[in-house]
């Protein structure tokens, strides 16, 4: 405490933080602007394929042979699309799980891979 300032602050007794048992959640985007949030989302999309691949490698380590990939990608191009990059839909086949995952349509194969991982 600073001398002379002891009586200048008093918490509001009606504040939810004081009357409730739990501290309320902060408002959305309290720590950054909407532009920064969008930038973070774009960055997260860039690494989502790598993170899913790493997780699959961890889960399937016992069944994968050395040098074997965890998934196989195939792509489908939208027939009516004439814009570049074309609309694509990616399918990730994971032989170690015996499953395939199909993403939503997206512009370009990279974005189609991201959609399949979400």
């Amino acid at each position: 405490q600073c001398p002379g300032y002891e009586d200048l602050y008093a918490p509001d007794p009606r504040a939810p933080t004081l009357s409730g048992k739990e501290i309320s959640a902060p408002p959305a985007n309290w720590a950054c602007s909407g532009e920064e949030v969008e930038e973070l989302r774009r960055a997260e999309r860039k690494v989502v394929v790598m993170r899913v691949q790493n997780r699959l490698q961890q889960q399937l380590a016992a069944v994968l042979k050395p040098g074997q990939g965890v998934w196989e990608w195939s792509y489908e191009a939208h027939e009516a699309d004439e814009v570049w990059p074309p609309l694509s839909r990616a399918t990730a086949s994971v032989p170690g799980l015996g499953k395939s995952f199909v993403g939503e349509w997206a512009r370009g194969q990279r974005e189609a891979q991201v959609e399949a991982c979400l």
Side-chain angles (χ1 to χ4, degrees), residues 25-98:
N29 303 335
W30 72 275
C32 52
S33 69
E35 292 171 0
E36 290 172 315
V37 169
E38 190 57 36
E39 192 174 313
L40 289 170
R41 284 191 186 127
R42 281 194 302 270
E44 182 62 31
R45 285 182 67 85
K46 286 183 179 182
V47 298
V48 70
V49 175
M50 180 183 64
R51 288 187 181 180
V52 172
Q53 181 177 355
N54 289 346
R55 185 73 175 145
L56 284 171
Q57 286 172 335
Q58 291 171 353
Q59 293 295 315
L60 301 173
V63 296
L64 288 175
K65 297 173 185 157
Q68 180 182 7
V70 294
W71 49 23
E72 297 164 3
W73 289 99
S74 60
Y75 304 94
E76 176 184 358
H78 196 282
E79 296 174 4
D81 189 44
E82 297 180 4
V83 178
W84 185 261
L87 276 175
S88 299
R89 182 165 51 190
T91 300
S93 299
V94 184
L97 296 176

